[in-house]
Amino acid sequence: MPEADSLFKHCLSLLHATCRYQRQICVASSSVTASDTELVPSSGFRIEQISFGKILSPIGISLMTYGFGAFFGLLPGGDVSSIMLIYGFPISLLGFALAYAQLKPVPCKTTRAAFNLRESQMTDIQKQLREDVTRYRYGDEQHLDESLTKIFMFNRAKGIARRLTPILMGVREEVKEDKYTLVLEFAIKKEMTLEMWTDRQDKIQTFFGPGVQADIQKTDQGVDVYLMSDGSGAGRGGKAQQDVMPPLMPGLKARQSKQQQ
């Protein structure tokens, strides 16, 4: 049956070709998926990511302890014990005060794909947002407190109650529709509805713009705010300035971020 053998060989070759094609598709899709999901460890040293309270407190306590020991002759250095006590006491107090008033940074997860798009697509406001919430702050009740107050107008007409203030739990850098996207992860109370966010979606986009598109999505813990670069190049190293972020410390002027006109 030469015809049957020929047909069998032809079918077998088609089967092998199909398997090779499927393997190529799997490899390609897995490489894309890996790039989209692979997390990049945080690199680079930033002094803002260090807790000054945790540094100054043990230094001050150590100076005071050694100063007392030297003053009573239990440790050497009696001639400088008074200096240690004079400096150790205020340093320890300052350390305790900073530790009490500090606001810890939120975790940031960055995918490899988003990391590669930072330089080409990330806007000035997106960069400032990421850097501000991933460092220690002092004197603030929570991250983005002033920004949220302007967006939701707490305890004001057409606003919402202050007790419904959402809490920023973390940020993510990922790629959405081939665009760099900064995602703000908020935890909300049950009384805060999704409509309270979607009704202010345009305001959020304008507030953190230009050069971004805002999207709101419901999650198990609350709400995710997607700030996706629109690819226009606006908001990247421009000339105009706009007050967006809160001051570094209470009493100082609001910081400004350069934007394109």
Side-chain angles (χ1 to χ4, degrees):
M1 300 288 292
E3 294 83 359
D5 293 340
S6 177
L7 181 61
F8 176 76
K9 292 179 180 180
H10 181 67
C11 294
L12 189 60
S13 62
L14 288 176
L15 180 61
H16 287 310
T18 303
C19 292
R20 286 196 301 269
Y21 179 72
Q22 289 179 343
R23 283 198 299 268
Q24 292 175 355
I25 294 178
C26 292
V27 171
S29 61
S30 63
S31 62
V32 172
T33 303
S35 177
D36 290 341
T37 59
E38 179 189 0
L39 297 180
V40 178
S42 59
S43 59
F45 172 78
R46 291 172 53 199
I47 190 66
E48 302 93 342
Q49 293 179 326
I50 296 178
S51 172
F52 292 108
K54 293 182 179 180
I55 294 177
L56 295 179
S57 297
I59 292 177
I61 293 175
S62 299
L63 289 176
M64 290 180 60
T65 302
Y66 195 95
F68 276 115
F71 180 79
F72 290 105
L74 301 177
L75 296 172
D79 52 341
V80 294
S81 61
S82 59
I83 298 178
M84 292 183 181
L85 292 173
I86 291 173
Y87 284 100
F89 183 70
I91 290 176
S92 60
L93 284 182
L94 179 60
F96 289 138
L98 290 176
Y100 176 79
Q102 75 181 9
L103 180 63
K104 295 182 179 181
V106 299
C108 177
K109 298 179 181 179
T110 305
T111 63
R112 175 67 63 180
F115 180 82
N116 295 334
L117 292 178
R118 273 185 185 176
E119 295 297 327
S120 60
Q121 295 188 10
M122 182 171 58
T123 67
D124 297 338
I125 299 301
Q126 287 175 322
K127 179 180 180 181
Q128 190 173 2
L129 267 173
R130 178 178 59 83
E131 292 179 350
D132 271 31
V133 300
T134 56
R135 68 174 181 84
Y136 280 93
R137 302 181 62 85
Y138 301 92
D140 292 343
E141 294 184 4
Q142 67 174 31
H143 292 286
L144 303 180
D145 183 60
E146 185 171 332
S147 302
L148 294 173
T149 300
K150 292 181 179 180
I151 292 173
F152 289 100
M153 302 175 63
F154 297 125
N155 294 336
R156 296 172 60 185
K158 297 183 180 180
I160 66 174
R162 166 66 72 173
R163 61 183 177 82
L164 298 181
T165 303
I167 305 298
L168 183 68
M169 304 301 294
V171 293
R172 304 194 311 270
E173 292 179 283
E174 57 187 43
V175 175
K176 184 179 180 182
E177 300 178 7
D178 297 328
K179 302 292 179 57
Y180 172 87
T181 305
L182 182 67
V183 186
L184 309 178
E185 304 173 350
F186 288 97
I188 63 175
K189 296 183 178 180
K190 295 181 179 179
E191 297 87 348
M192 192 173 196
T193 63
L194 183 61
E195 288 72 19
M196 293 180 179
W197 290 86
T198 55
D199 291 344
R200 296 168 175 83
Q201 182 169 330
D202 293 339
K203 188 174 183 180
I204 293 174
Q205 179 170 311
T206 303
F207 190 83
F208 293 113
V212 299
Q213 295 177 351
D215 187 26
I216 312 295
Q217 293 188 13
K218 183 73 173 178
T219 64
D220 293 336
Q221 73 171 355
V223 167
D224 281 357
V225 177
Y226 289 76
L227 300 176
M228 180 178 67
S229 173
D230 60 9
S232 65
R236 288 176 47 80
K239 299 178 180 179
Q241 290 188 341
Q242 177 183 358
D243 292 339
V244 175
M245 303 305 300
L248 289 174
M249 295 181 63
L252 298 181
K253 294 182 179 180
R255 286 167 290 164
Q256 294 181 328
S257 178
K258 295 182 179 180
Q259 301 181 355
Q260 282 188 341
Q261 293 179 335

